[in-house]
Every structure is written in structure tokens, then in C-alpha cells.
Amino acid sequence: MHSTGAQSSTGAHSSEAAGVVTGARGRIDSLDDRIIGLIQERMAVSAVIQDARMTSGGRRVNLSREMEVLGHYSEALGKPGTGLAMTVLELCRGRI
């Protein structure tokens, strides 16, 4: 059986399945763009918080708050959520 270009690029073995995969990939791309935008927004808000904390004589990072964030992600997404939260925190505050 010979597959068309669209089928081979999607990994699907029928035109119908290729159409579903292509549509779903478009949705995933859109979601990824939104997620990236939200992370960038979170980074900006985090910078405001860090600046306010340091300007008042505090530390840049609040470890108890970071533990809350880690717990929130872990509860919602399981063990991989912890890794995701660590990445988000690193993006928002840089390495400690």
C-alpha cells in the first residue's frame, strides 16, 4: 500500500486519519503558543514580585512560595508536574 505525502508526514495510514492528525496538530500548535505566552506573562509578573521584594530589602526568591508552587503542579499533574514546575520556576527566577 502506497501512502500520500500527507499521510506519511502524519504517520497515519489513511486520508481520514491524516486529516484528524493534521487538525489535532494545528490545535496543539495553538495551545503551545498560548502556553508560551502564559509563561512569558508569568515571567514578567515574577520579575515585578522579585523587584518589589529586593527593593524592600528582601531576597529575590521565596523558597516557601516555590514549595507551594511545586506542590500545586505535582497535585495537578503527578510526578512530571514537579519537573514542569521546576522548569517554570527556573524560567521565572533563573538558577539559584
Side-chain angles (χ1 to χ4, degrees):
M1 182 167 120
H2 181 57
S3 63
T4 67
Q7 291 168 341
S8 65
S9 69
T10 63
H13 294 282
S14 72
S15 295
E16 181 180 344
V20 170
V21 170
T22 298
R25 283 182 179 170
R27 178 87 171 112
I28 284 175
D29 290 346
S30 175
L31 289 166
D32 285 343
D33 287 343
R34 289 172 48 200
I35 291 166
I36 290 166
L38 289 169
I39 290 171
Q40 290 170 331
E41 182 177 349
R42 190 188 194 287
M43 290 168 68
V45 172
S46 182
V48 168
I49 292 168
Q50 290 175 43
D51 183 57
R53 192 180 296 126
M54 290 187 317
T55 299
S56 72
R59 299 181 68 193
R60 181 170 59 99
V61 175
N62 181 326
L63 295 178
S64 64
R65 172 62 180 149
E66 289 197 356
M67 293 305 295
E68 290 176 17
V69 172
L70 289 169
H72 182 69
Y73 275 68
S74 178
E75 283 180 29
L77 302 171
K79 185 177 178 182
T82 303
L84 178 59
M86 290 296 293
T87 299
V88 169
L89 290 169
E90 184 176 337
L91 285 167
C92 291
R93 53 119 163 96
R95 289 190 175 270
I96 303 178

